[in-house]
Amino acid sequence: MKRGLHGMVTRLKVTLWTLIVPPTVWAVHFLFSYLWAAIHCAKVGGFPRLPILYGIGTILALLLIAGAGIIAHLQSRVPGDPAPHEESTDSDRIRFLAYSTVLLAALSFVGVIFTAAPVLFLTDCR
């Protein structure tokens, strides 16, 4: 019983971590996207490496979100878990939370792409 409870608590901690990472990474990337767009449109000089750093940051954001999604996916499908019954168990709730996190990670991944694409290809700021 104790081993099962410890494993469930560990899975819950990992699932909660993966639940926090995707939207946080998206939010930080979103803020930097608008900062980069504002600097570019204001034609403020002295930032020649900013596009390269922004591109690297975008790739890192996508990798972090994808990693969190993969971990959440693995948490949602643990072999050896009992089959779901009519009444939910704690394990079923954790698997549902992990599955929801996979969907949140996918949404955050797409959000980063849609935030980065216009900024990376920004040419005219009228």
Side-chain angles (χ1 to χ4, degrees), residues 56-114:
I56 291 170
T58 298
I59 291 170
L60 288 176
L62 292 173
L63 289 174
L64 274 171
I65 291 171
I70 290 169
I71 291 169
H73 178 71
L74 294 174
Q75 290 291 319
S76 69
R77 303 186 180 270
V78 175
D81 277 348
H85 299 287
E86 288 183 10
E87 294 183 21
S88 295
T89 63
D90 289 336
S91 180
D92 294 333
R93 290 183 189 107
I94 292 172
R95 285 191 294 183
F96 177 75
L97 182 64
Y99 180 73
S100 301
T101 301
V102 172
L103 298 177
L104 179 65
L107 181 64
S108 297
F109 191 87
V110 171
V112 167
I113 290 173
F114 276 106

Side-chain angles (χ1 to χ4, degrees), residues 16-68:
L16 290 176
W17 178 83
T18 58
L19 183 67
I20 293 168
V21 169
T24 303
V25 170
W26 173 80
V28 170
H29 183 269
F30 185 79
L31 293 174
F32 280 110
S33 296
Y34 273 87
L35 174 66
W36 161 227
I39 288 172
H40 182 74
C41 287
K43 298 189 182 359
V44 177
F47 298 102
R49 293 191 183 130
L50 194 57
I52 294 169
L53 293 176
Y54 180 76
I56 291 170
T58 298
I59 291 170
L60 288 176
L62 292 173
L63 289 174
L64 274 171
I65 291 171

